[in-house]
């Protein structure tokens, strides 16, 4: 056991920190703390400029293999995320391209695709969205019905996606579509790369329960993309789509936890301000939240350390379930600390305080990226080897 | 960054596992808990004489292995998995830490070597009637007597393995109101002890009545005061947390194993989603608790805030073990409610752990205080 970063890694940390401080005290000083879950509507244009600033400095694609990326170790990626969160740098628009599509192309794309897509993502100039879910296919993703047919050198796409984050801002979408109508379920799917800014694509933001919109419904009405804009062979879409999800190695989890710590600190400040600590029950719930966050960090460190060399350990399968459940409870604690004041929003029509945002948005944490129930099914099958239900 | 045990540490763990398996595992615990000593003497002999584990955390200069809490955690996790009835927690963890934290070098020299050799065991006698874990609750008195002696009188309760330990480390209040720790041979005149019957029969507690026990003034460990005792308790809490991780894992294993073979409605109960989700929740508890206990073992030796680290992991692991033990009974149905099945042994061990070295409420209050939240009563720090 040695839970310290190496001196080299600490030097890297200092480099990241200095860069972030300089920018966020300088031209981008108004962006600290903006964006992120539940607040994606904030400062869109300046945050797009920030993406390009990150890209120009070489911070995007840190973990991608060279030459498209910098091939940084998992720990360096962790450090970057920690510093990013510590500096309260703005919520990213580029994360879907950088962390989902980029690694997929780097691993499974053709040389032409690598040349075409990785550089603009790394420059922070090309935004992506993820077109998996459909009205009829959520947890059961193999039920997608969006169709794509190859005709005169291009795929023509018909169908509807939903809950597509940032679709209204994205330049491209990776779409899971059915390309072989004779096959069912997981077979006959393909992973297509589709430009969003074209006539056959309509993205309509959907207002979520925080009153803001970050996801959309997306209609494909004869949208087109070139025949070569497919990752893997036709019919291999399921495999590629799952690979995309598996690239999430948890490098961002420690950074995410710094954000959580900030929320917890705000709750503790509210407890003091309102003298809510007269109630020992509140004190103990705050203690539980603090303990839970500390446990989260221990868990993440252990899983990252084991996953550094290759496959993520089975022990880590509980990470999503754990943090999302913790975060939801944190939001509830925040409301109970505030008492009746919890009801009063920041302003009409529906401006929320940060703690209200935490409370409301955390309801999504246990739904997206594999709901809690799906997480438990996965743990039961893969980690515990229990037989398939029914 | 390395969050894993070294090959040497894994080897110690394997040796412990082998020793436990050779002795019959939980069956040996079942036998031991019926004996008055509540100790699996054969296993203790192997752990101490053959493997030298009683002195794991004792410096080499005093006959120990000179290792630390990371090794302690590896060993005690295995002991917890099989409910081993040995005084490892009380003597090799709690009392050893107390002597190391509170004692002078001369006292280390005098007290630790026989413990390292496994010839003597010790325990900490700190709680009294009411079980209040705060030092303010200590009423046992240390009076000054003629000839450089001290007279101890009072009653200690919930003393882990207190009826078998050779040496009792007794907290007492000195005439100036401070707390001090005294090393009292269990055989000293005026010491009367009896085993308290406990719901968890795998770990014995004793009541110890001190009726004007004369000890030399030099048996006071170091200069006195609560802080070293607090640190020793913190270290023991980390060990107990790791023991609970072992217990929780055993409960999960029992539950998963049974869910795969027990059939109802024509299929294994492990195919029912309600059972799967219960077991999945247990899995998350086990893995998070394990991460926390390992991390605490390392942090405890490298970071400040030992007591907060310990309180956090103690509260979390105690709750995790309890939940896993309770749920394994549920997953087993009727058989899980029998005396014959092991589930209740884990359940009772888990229950006991919630209040063994301070209650879960105490631990959470410690954390809350560290966050500047109160008033929850102040810990005396003299
Ligand atoms: C904020 C947010 C952002 C999102 N962003 C994107 C995005 O960018 N791209 C994208 O493609 N999708 C996105 N999604 C969609 C998300 O992946 C789906 O919502 C999720 O997969 C669940 O699907 P569903 O909404 O259809 O719910 P359903 O699958 O219908 O689930 C409804 C309920 O049934 C439960 N359930 C379903 N199946 C089972 C089962 N087998 N066992 C037990 N319980 C089950 C679920 O857990 C849930 O509680 C986003 C969602 C949210 C909330």
């Amino acid at each position: 056991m040695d839970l310290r970063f190496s001196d080299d890694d600490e030097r890297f940390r200092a480099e990241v920190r200095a860069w972030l401080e300089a920018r966020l005290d300088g031209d981008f000083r108004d962006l600290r703390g903006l964006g992120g879950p539940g607040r994606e509507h904030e400062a869109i244009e300046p945050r797009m400029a920030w993406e390009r600033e990150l890209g120009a400095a070489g911070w995007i694609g840190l973990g991608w293999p060279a030459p498209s990326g910098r091939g940084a170790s998992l720990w360096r990626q962790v450090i970057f995320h920690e510093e990013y969160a510590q500096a309260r740098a703005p919520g990213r628009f580029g994360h879907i391209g950088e962390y989902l599509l980029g690694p997929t192309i780097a691993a499974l794309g053709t040389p032409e695709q690598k040349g075409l897509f990785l550089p603009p993502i790394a420059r922070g100039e090309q935004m992506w969205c993820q077109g998996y879910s459909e009205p009829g296919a959520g947890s059961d993703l193999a039920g997608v019905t969006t169709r794509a047919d190859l005709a005169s050198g291009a795929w023509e796409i018909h169908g509807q996606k939903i809950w597509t984050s940032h679709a209204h801002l994205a330049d491209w979408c990776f779409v899971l579509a059915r390309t072989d109508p004779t096959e069912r379920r997981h077979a006959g799917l393909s992973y297509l790369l589709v430009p969003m800014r074209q006539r056959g694509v309509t993205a309509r933001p959907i207002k979520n329960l925080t009153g803001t919109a970050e996801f959309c419904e997306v209609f494909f009405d004869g949208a087109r993309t070139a025949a070569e804009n497919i990752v893997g062979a036709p019919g291999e879409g399921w495999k590629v789509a799952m690979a995309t999800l598996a690239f999430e190695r948890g490098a961002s989890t420690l950074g995410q936890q710094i954000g959580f710590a900030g929320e917890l600190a705000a709750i503790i400040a509210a407890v003091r301000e309102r003298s809510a600590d007269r109630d020992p029950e509140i004190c103990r719930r705050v203690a539980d939240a603090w303990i839970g966050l500390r446990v989260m960090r221990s868990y993440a460190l252990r899983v990252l350390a084991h996953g550094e060399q290759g496959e993520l350990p089975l022990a880590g399968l509980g990470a999503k379930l754990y943090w999302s459940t913790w975060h939801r409870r944190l939001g509830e604690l925040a409301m109970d600390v505030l008492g009746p004041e919890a009801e009063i929003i920041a302003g009409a029509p529906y401006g929320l305080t940060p703690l209200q945002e935490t409370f409301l948005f955390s309801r999504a944490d246990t739904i997206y990226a594999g709901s809690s129930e799906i997480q438990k099914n996965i743990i039961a099958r893969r980690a515990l080897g229990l037989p398939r239900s029914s | 960054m390395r969050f894993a045990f070294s090959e040497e540490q894994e080897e110690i763990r394997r040796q412990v596992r082998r020793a436990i398996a050779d002795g019959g595992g939980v069956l040996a615990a079942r036998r031991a808990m019926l004996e008055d000593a509540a100790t699996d003497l054969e296993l203790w002999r192997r752990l101490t004489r053959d493997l030298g584990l009683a002195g794991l955390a004792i410096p080499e200069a005093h006959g120990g292995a000179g290792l630390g809490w990371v090794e302690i955690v590896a060993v005690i996790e295995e002991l917890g998995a099989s409910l081993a009835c040995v005084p490892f927690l009380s003597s090799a963890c709690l009392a050893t830490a107390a002597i190391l934290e509170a004692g002078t070098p001369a006292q280390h020299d005098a007290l630790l070597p026989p413990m390292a050799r496994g010839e003597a065991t010790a325990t900490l006698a700190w709680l009294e009637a009411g079980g209040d874990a705060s030092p303010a609750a200590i009423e046992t008195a240390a009076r000054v007597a003629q000839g450089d002696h001290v007279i101890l009188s009072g009653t200690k309760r919930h003393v882990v393995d207190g009826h078998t330990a050779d040496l009792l480390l007794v907290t007492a209040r000195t005439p100036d109101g401070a707390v001090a720790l005294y090393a009292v041979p269990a055989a000293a005149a005026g010491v009367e002890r009896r085993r308290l019957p406990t719901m968890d029969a795998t770990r014995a507690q004793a009541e110890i009545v001190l009726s004007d026990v004369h000890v030399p003034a030099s048996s006071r460990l170091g200069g006195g005061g609560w802080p070293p005792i607090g640190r020793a308790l913190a270290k023991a809490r980390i060990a107990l947390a790791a023991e609970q991780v072992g217990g929780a894992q055993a409960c999960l294993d029992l539950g998963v194993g049974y869910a795969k073979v027990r059939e109802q409605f024509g299929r294994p109960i492990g195919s029912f989603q309600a059972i799967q989700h219960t077991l999945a929740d247990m899995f998350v508890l086990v893995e998070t608790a394990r991460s926390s206990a390992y991390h605490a073992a390392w942090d405890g030796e490298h970071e400040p805030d030992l007591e907060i680290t310990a309180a956090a992991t103690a509260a979390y692991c105690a709750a995790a073990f309890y939940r896993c033990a309770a749920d394994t009974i549920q997953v087993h149905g009727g058989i899980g409610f029998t005396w014959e099945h092991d589930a209740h042994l884990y359940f009772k061990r888990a229950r006991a752990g919630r209040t063994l070295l301070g209650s879960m409420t105490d631990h959470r209050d410690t954390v809350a205080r560290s966050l500047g939240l109160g008033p929850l009563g102040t810990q005396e720090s003299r």
Side-chain angles (χ1 to χ4, degrees):
Chain A
M1 300 276 275
D2 187 359
L3 304 180
R4 283 168 302 205
F5 288 103
S6 71
D7 291 346
D8 269 1
D9 284 346
E10 290 298 352
R11 268 190 292 279
F12 175 77
R13 182 188 295 282
E15 184 195 332
V16 175
R17 183 174 299 175
W19 187 88
L20 287 168
E21 289 303 323
R23 296 310 177 286
L24 292 168
D25 288 341
D27 290 351
F28 295 91
R29 81 182 72 82
D30 296 334
L31 289 191
R32 279 195 206 252
L34 296 188
R39 317 176 58 179
E40 294 294 8
H41 57 291
E42 294 173 334
I44 291 174
E45 273 315 310
R47 282 164 62 210
M48 288 292 184
W50 171 251
E51 290 287 336
R52 295 189 291 274
E53 185 80 6
L54 284 173
W59 294 121
I60 300 179
L62 206 56
W64 300 352
S68 338
R70 284 166 63 178
S73 71
L74 187 59
W75 291 119
R76 295 232 168 153
Q77 299 170 53
V78 165
I79 287 170
F80 179 79
H81 285 285
E82 284 189 328
E83 290 302 318
Y84 194 91
Q86 203 75 61
R88 299 183 56 248
R92 296 281 313 274
F93 281 124
H95 62 289
I96 298 174
E98 179 178 2
Y99 301 119
L100 295 178
L101 184 77
T104 307
I105 298 230
L108 304 170
T110 63
E112 290 74 24
Q113 287 168 346
K114 290 178 195 173
L116 197 59
F117 293 111
L118 296 181
I121 295 175
R123 287 196 301 270
E125 292 169 356
Q126 192 181 76
M127 298 301 133
W128 283 78
C129 62
Q130 175 183 24
Y132 283 11
S133 304
E134 297 183 0
S139 301
D140 185 12
L141 189 58
V144 297
T145 58
T146 292
R147 244 182 50 228
D149 304 293
L150 201 52
S152 50
W155 295 100
E156 193 178 295
I157 304 149
H158 292 271
Q160 185 193 344
K161 296 289 173 181
I162 195 167
W163 321 129
T164 320
S165 298
H166 303 320
H168 56 310
L169 303 170
D171 305 296
W172 286 77
C173 181
F174 49 98
V175 174
L176 192 59
R178 200 159 286 287
T179 48
D180 184 346
T182 65
E183 296 273 16
R184 288 177 43 77
R185 305 281 300 162
H186 307 80
L189 297 173
S190 296
Y191 191 101
L192 304 178
L193 311 175
V194 182
M196 288 294 282
R197 301 184 197 283
Q198 58 167 310
R199 255 215 342 260
V201 177
T202 314
R204 280 200 210 121
I206 303 173
K207 195 170 175 179
N208 66 43
L209 57 68
T210 68
T212 65
E214 66 99 35
F215 53 33
C216 298
E217 50 185 349
V218 180
F219 299 91
F220 295 97
D221 274 312
R224 292 168 68 83
T225 193
E228 60 272 20
N229 284 342
I230 177 170
V231 183
E236 285 182 1
W238 182 260
K239 210 182 70 189
V240 181
M242 292 303 112
T244 293
L245 301 182
F247 284 120
E248 174 50 85
R249 311 299 306 275
S252 64
T253 57
L254 293 184
Q256 180 191 40
Q257 289 172 25
I258 288 174
F260 290 164
E263 294 173 334
L264 180 53
I267 292 173
I268 292 171
V271 170
R272 292 219 192 91
E273 191 180 319
R274 302 177 45 79
S275 299
D277 55 348
R278 279 179 307 218
D279 178 358
E281 177 66 21
I282 288 285
C283 293
R284 287 170 191 147
R285 283 174 64 194
V286 172
D288 282 336
W290 188 88
I291 292 168
L293 182 56
R294 201 176 165 108
V295 169
M296 197 189 298
R297 179 172 166 80
S298 302
Y299 188 30
L301 283 174
R302 176 164 157 251
V303 170
L304 284 165
H306 284 252
E308 192 187 2
Q309 313 301 347
E311 289 285 292
L312 277 183
L314 288 177
L317 282 179
K320 163 80 194 334
L321 181 58
Y322 181 85
W323 75 252
S324 58
T325 308
W326 177 90
H327 196 220
R328 215 163 66 169
R329 216 174 283 145
L330 185 77
E332 291 161 353
L333 171 62
M335 295 301 101
D336 290 347
V337 164
L338 294 174
E341 280 302 320
E343 265 312 298
I344 311 305
I345 60 176
Y350 208 70
L352 298 172
T353 65
L355 289 179
Q356 287 166 338
E357 272 162 4
T358 296
F359 170 64
L360 290 178
F361 196 84
S362 63
R363 305 318 294 187
D365 292 338
T366 50
I367 296 171
Y368 66 76
S371 72
S372 294
E373 290 74 19
I374 296 300
Q375 300 295 335
K376 291 182 194 182
N377 291 349
I378 292 171
I379 291 168
R381 293 282 312 288
R382 289 190 46 209
L384 304 178
L386 292 169
R388 219 174 249 290
S389 41
S390 77
Chain B
M1 268 288 178
R2 184 184 154 84
F3 200 122
F5 295 98
S6 67
E7 188 39 47
E8 295 77 40
Q9 289 161 343
E10 287 295 352
E11 179 53 26
I12 296 175
R13 183 193 284 276
R14 278 193 292 273
Q15 288 173 344
V16 173
R17 204 177 286 169
R18 210 171 306 132
I20 292 169
D22 290 350
V26 180
L27 265 182
R30 279 186 176 270
R31 277 194 303 271
M33 74 186 199
L34 300 176
E35 315 258 332
D36 184 55
T39 306
D40 181 346
L41 291 171
E42 174 56 25
L43 179 61
W44 185 238
R45 196 192 56 71
R46 264 195 81 172
L47 296 178
T48 56
R49 306 284 160 82
D50 299 356
L51 302 178
L53 297 182
L56 202 56
I58 294 176
E60 283 169 309
H62 307 305
L67 298 171
W69 240 246
V70 174
E71 288 81 8
I72 288 276
V73 153
V75 168
I76 203 167
E77 185 182 353
E78 296 301 325
L79 298 176
S82 67
L83 299 166
C85 298
V86 289
F88 189 81
L89 178 70
S90 57
S91 189
C93 302
L94 181 56
T96 297
I99 294 168
L100 284 170
E101 291 287 345
T104 62
Q107 288 168 329
H108 295 169
D109 240 359
L111 300 175
L112 292 172
M115 289 168 66
R117 289 192 298 270
E119 292 165 9
T121 61
T123 190
L124 183 71
W126 60 303
L127 293 176
E128 305 189 350
D132 184 341
S134 106
I138 295 171
E139 288 183 2
T140 294
R143 300 193 317 274
V144 182
Q146 306 252 301
D148 218 11
H149 268 64
V150 168
I151 302 173
L152 299 172
S153 48
T155 300
K156 295 291 179 181
R157 274 175 78 83
H158 312 294
V159 183
V160 183
D161 298 321
H163 69 309
T164 49
D166 303 292
L167 183 70
L168 305 170
L169 307 173
V170 176
T171 56
R173 197 164 291 284
T174 56
D176 61 357
V179 170
L181 188 62
Y182 293 87
V184 181
V191 174
E192 212 179 307
R193 50 188 185 162
R194 69 183 174 97
R195 184 175 169 188
L196 296 169
T198 41
M199 208 156 47
D200 167 24
T202 66
R203 174 167 283 140
Q205 297 185 11
E207 180 179 80
I208 296 176
V209 180
L210 305 151
S211 316
D212 290 342
V213 177
H214 284 249
V215 292
S218 62
S219 58
R220 181 167 94 176
L221 292 177
W226 178 256
I229 306 169
R231 283 195 300 275
L233 280 166
K235 293 204 132 188
R237 285 176 186 136
I238 293 171
L240 175 61
E243 186 190 273
Q244 289 165 332
V245 168
Q249 176 75 60
C251 291
L252 174 60
D253 293 345
L254 281 176
V256 169
Y258 189 68
K260 286 178 181 170
V261 297
R262 169 68 176 171
E263 295 197 3
Q264 285 295 282
F265 300 95
R267 52 191 175 122
I269 58 166
S271 68
F272 297 124
Q273 202 172 50
I275 298 289
Q276 292 188 347
H277 286 194
T278 299
L279 293 168
D281 282 333
M282 289 163 67
F283 168 84
V284 177
L285 285 171
V286 168
E287 293 300 346
T288 47
R290 171 173 289 134
S291 307
S292 174
Y294 290 180
H295 196 173
W298 194 84
D299 263 4
E301 298 193 327
H302 295 86
E303 303 285 335
D305 301 338
L306 165 69
E307 284 169 64
I308 299 160
T309 296
T313 199
Y316 191 83
C317 294
F321 183 23
Y322 180 80
R323 169 87 189 278
C324 289
D327 281 348
T328 211
I329 292 180
Q330 182 67 20
V331 165
H332 280 83
I335 195 84
F337 187 66
T338 62
W339 191 268
E340 187 190 344
H341 198 276
D342 291 340
H344 76 105
L345 300 179
Y346 288 98
F347 181 63
K348 291 168 183 173
R349 183 60 95 74
R351 208 319 301 158
R354 292 166 72 95
T355 47
L356 196 69
L357 300 175
S359 72
M360 288 166 61
T361 306
D362 294 333
H363 304 324
R364 294 156 79 209
D365 288 352
T366 298
V367 170
R369 261 195 312 275
S370 78
L371 299 172
L373 305 181
L376 295 162
T378 42
Q379 282 264 1
E380 180 179 333
S381 57
R382 293 213 282 161

